Amino acid sequence: MFKCSVKNIFIALAFLLAGTATYAQRSGLVSSDVLYKLALDARKENKDYVKAIRLCKKALSQSPDYTDVRILLGRLYQETGQPVAAAFEWNVVLRKEPGNTEVLQALVNLYDSQGNPAEAICYVDMLLEKSPLDKNLLLKKYGMVTAGGDVVTQARLMALLRLHYASDPQVAALLKDYQLQAARQGRSAGNTDGAQRMYEQVLLREPDNRDALEGLAAALESQGRAQEAITYYDRLLHLFPDNTTYRLKRSAMQLTARNYTAALEDAQWLYRHHKEQPQFKQHLTDVYMAMVQQPGGAPAYAEQLLALQPRNKGAYEQLINHAYGKGDYTTANSWCNKALQVFPGDAELLKKQVGIQEAMPDYPAATRTALQLLQRYPGSVETQRYSGLQLAYANKLIREQQVTQAVAVLQSALQQVPGEPSLTLLLSNMHALQGHPREAVALLDQLLAKQPADTALLYKKSGLLESMQDYRTAAGVTRQLHTAYPADLRYRRTLADQLLGAARQDIQQQQYPAAKAALQEILQFMPAEKAAWVYLINLENQQGQPQQALTYTTDALHTLAADSLLLQKKAALLQQLGRYTDAGVIAAQLYQRYPADTALRQLYLEQLLAQGKQCREKQQWDSAWQYYQTAYAVAPADTTVLTYLTTTATARKQYDTTLMYADKGLALWPAQPVLLAQKAHALEQLHRYADAAGVARQLYAIQPGEKKWREYADHLNGYTYKNQAGVIYMQSVYDKNQQPASIVSLQYMRRHQRGTVLGRVNYATREAGSGIQLEAETYYTHNPRYYSYGLIGWSDAKVFPLFRAGYSLFRNFNKGWEGEVGARYIRSDTSNNYSAVFSVGKYFGNYWANLRAFYTHDEQQWYQAYTLTNRFYLNDRQDFIALIGNIGASPDDRSRNFQFGNVVGFTSTSLTAGFQKNVRSRATIGAYTTWTRQQIAKQQYGNQYDAYLLFLWNF
């Protein structure tokens, strides 16, 4: 039954039982109840624990099973510091009464007070067997397992308490402590996710719990979730705004996350409120340093950083670099000066300043700074830096043509770095440029003393000596180079030129042997040097040795075969020696070899024409024009060139230019058909029709078999006719026993610059009678895109409308399209009819199609009519065949418009076919036939057949 027994307890129990029995036998008996009460009084009132224990023992000796006395005795032992005896007494009770709650509670308290939670828990479990959901027992056990670190049992007990006592304040407080403790343990064990969940549960009940907020912020921070951690530090700082730890944490995380503005705000607050704390000053410094390194952050924050740390070299460098990166070299240089005041002589700062001053460019300042570096840190690196800057400064002055100042700079630099090669060489060049070659050579000799085999220096010295006209000394230097590098053509050529110069000087001074030696030396290494041969030949001839001169000439021609100058010299020498025949042969050979200009001119001309033709084939007219212009400059009288010029000018639409070159060509070749055709075309495009027609007749006279020229002349003549007269006849035949009808028209048209004006008289005979109508029409061209058509007619006869009028505006579009918008009006005895007109037309090569729509209103409703016109052009669009289809009543139909108000509401269909021919642009004839199926009444139709003839005459 007992889970928690101890061997020593049972031994002590047996011993005490024996002692009690002996005592009872020796004493006089008093009631056990009285003894119990006396023991209680001794304990409570007098605190006489010894007496109370004696009385309890006496009572038990009389009544060993007196439970209350034994329980009291256990308490007296506990209170007098005898826990083992107390536990013994209480266990005796439990042997008889295993479920005694009072004893079990006492044992729990005894072992718990002794720091023996395991024994205490055993007795709690015995109590919980009787009362499994006793809150106090559960809380008691929870406290003990928590102290013992039994997290499993702790979690189980907490679950029971939450399930059954969630609203109990004590349990709620314990639950909060449990979640916080569990979260801390989770963090310690590395279970950050679990810890985070525990903290979040605490915050669900208590949003401002400081421990939970701190723990959750720390957990998130450890997971690298800085932004989320920052939100909890925000909440903490809302609760504790003066807490420096929270603010420092938040600022540090904002800095890590590169939220510099937020980090700076906290850092400045910390420093402003706690300037005595070095850690806050260092943190603000760290924030400024990070912000300085960001684009655009240097000026604003580096200066604040320097206010905190005046000796912060990195801040100065950031300010310098920022200004330099923006190209603000003046500001960058200023920061360098400030930094050098704090760090005088710093090598890195001086180097930066040198680069900045060079970029400004401020070479005087840069060289002064470089000199400081050289003096503080002597060595090849700084020597090279200083020399390079002085060299760049001198070159800048040279580019600005300040040669004297450049020389002064170089001389000053060489005082600091004597003998520096690049400076010495440039100074030598400057002396040469100033016309002081001797000083230049002296400097080169200084360099050559250190580098005697330097080919560049030797070659430069040679050139300077040559410029001084000291050819023989110059040749001595170059000969040294040529001997060392015989394959180098520069040295060979230079040596030859210098020896030639020396020879010229010798000849002028009549030092002929020396001159001859120099020339022969040239021919030893350059046998094809023509100038040396010529000088040698002239030298011998001048000395009265023409035969020797001839020998040298023959030798030269073996190397320079057929050279024209040498041949001329040989011919002259042969003539001088009296060998005229041989001299004549050479002269003939020269003439045969160089008939020269004619052949070359012709070859060049043919090439230009071929290139022009190629461009024409590709329609590259401007390029072709350039080639033909060049050809014309070479051969202005060549008709082929003139022909190509006219055709190309025509292609370029430069018709005045076409006429100019055509006339030039015709002046040379009057009957040239191509030139005449180009001229006629140009005159036509310039609207000079009479002149163009004259040229076309000239073409027909030259080529009478070519009918096209006569037709072309007729076509051009047509543009010259200003008047036209014509007659038109239309005959109409009907079925349904109607009488035939006819219209005869006489018209006159006058052309003007903008279009035409026409007057017409119509006479009609119909079943209803006969009568006359007067009409006027006009076409007017506004510009190349727009033209108008107008019509007006009047008659008092029944066979015509009383009044009719119309207007249309036409618009030409690209690629052969044309659009029309207009209106028509017809007035009869009983009605007024208004029509809107729209059409669209298009050319497709020699075919033209036009669709026209009429929308007519007769005071009651709208009616529609459509006309599709097709023309097939012949003979360059002078003649055509027409096919016309029509649906509905059209106000432009002359055969029916006299009764337009009656037929407009009825269905009609018509088909027209015909042709029109232009006779030499003088006369126009045409013939058309039309069939019309006209609705007469409902379900009744009639047929109409029209024949239409016209004749027009231009004059």
Side-chain angles (χ1 to χ4, degrees), residues 662-678:
D663 288 336
K664 289 184 178 182
L666 291 169
L668 298 169
W669 188 2
Q672 216 283 338
V674 175
L675 292 172
L676 287 169
Q678 290 295 322

Side-chain angles (χ1 to χ4, degrees), residues 52-69:
I53 290 172
R54 186 174 70 249
L55 290 171
C56 285
K57 287 182 178 181
K58 185 174 181 180
L60 288 172
S61 67
Q62 296 176 182
S63 303
D65 294 329
Y66 199 152
T67 300
D68 290 340
V69 174

Side-chain angles (χ1 to χ4, degrees), residues 463-599:
L464 285 170
L465 291 168
E466 184 177 351
S467 69
M468 296 164 59
Q469 297 187 358
D470 188 355
Y471 297 112
R472 198 164 298 279
T473 307
V477 177
T478 308
R479 188 180 294 108
Q480 179 184 344
L481 291 169
H482 178 58
T483 302
Y485 305 98
D488 193 313
L489 296 179
R490 290 181 307 155
Y491 302 147
R492 185 186 306 176
R493 179 70 263 169
T494 302
L495 179 57
D497 291 340
Q498 290 168 349
L499 288 171
L500 280 171
R504 283 196 299 270
Q505 286 180 337
D506 290 335
I507 292 170
Q508 290 171 359
Q509 298 170 6
Q510 298 184 355
Q511 303 272 331
Y512 299 124
K516 184 174 182 180
L519 295 170
Q520 288 176 335
E521 182 182 354
I522 294 171
L523 294 172
Q524 286 177 3
F525 61 84
M526 290 185 66
E529 180 58 35
K530 180 178 174 180
W533 285 114
V534 171
Y535 274 117
L536 192 56
I537 293 165
N538 292 340
L539 178 61
E540 293 296 336
N541 197 33
Q542 286 176 4
Q543 290 183 293
Q545 301 293 329
Q547 187 61 53
Q548 186 60 44
L550 182 60
T551 301
Y552 283 136
T553 305
T554 304
D555 293 341
L557 285 168
H558 289 157
T559 304
L560 302 166
D563 182 86
S564 60
L565 178 60
L566 291 173
L567 285 171
Q568 290 177 47
K569 282 192 170 295
K570 186 174 183 179
L573 288 168
L574 288 170
Q575 183 177 0
Q576 186 177 348
L577 292 169
R579 297 168 59 179
Y580 300 111
T581 303
D582 295 337
V585 170
I586 294 174
Q589 290 174 352
L590 286 171
Y591 179 76
Q592 290 173 2
R593 284 180 56 195
Y594 305 101
D597 299 336
T598 304

Side-chain angles (χ1 to χ4, degrees), residues 174 200 368 381 490 505 518 564 681 691 713 726 794 908 920:
L174 197 62
E200 288 172 346
R368 288 193 297 270
V381 173
R490 290 181 307 155
Q505 286 180 337
S564 60
H681 177 72
D691 295 336
W794 172 85
S908 66
R920 299 188 64 179

Side-chain angles (χ1 to χ4, degrees), residues 311-388:
R311 294 188 60 80
N312 190 314
K313 182 179 173 183
Y316 280 113
E317 290 177 339
Q318 287 293 332
L319 285 164
I320 294 166
N321 293 340
H322 182 268
Y324 184 82
K326 292 189 345 180
D328 187 357
Y329 304 126
T330 302
T331 302
N333 188 53
S334 176
W335 280 115
C336 281
N337 290 329
K338 292 178 182 178
L340 285 168
Q341 291 175 1
V342 181
F343 306 99
D346 184 272
E348 293 302 319
L349 291 172
L350 286 171
K351 290 175 184 177
K352 278 184 179 290
Q353 189 170 39
V354 167
I356 291 166
Q357 290 168 343
E358 184 179 7
M360 291 175 69
D362 185 352
Y363 285 108
T367 54
R368 288 193 297 270
T369 307
L371 183 58
Q372 289 184 52
L373 276 168
L374 177 61
Q375 292 170 344
R376 288 176 178 272
Y377 310 99
S380 60
V381 173
E382 298 309 326
T383 299
Q384 185 176 359
R385 188 194 310 277
Y386 175 75
S387 302

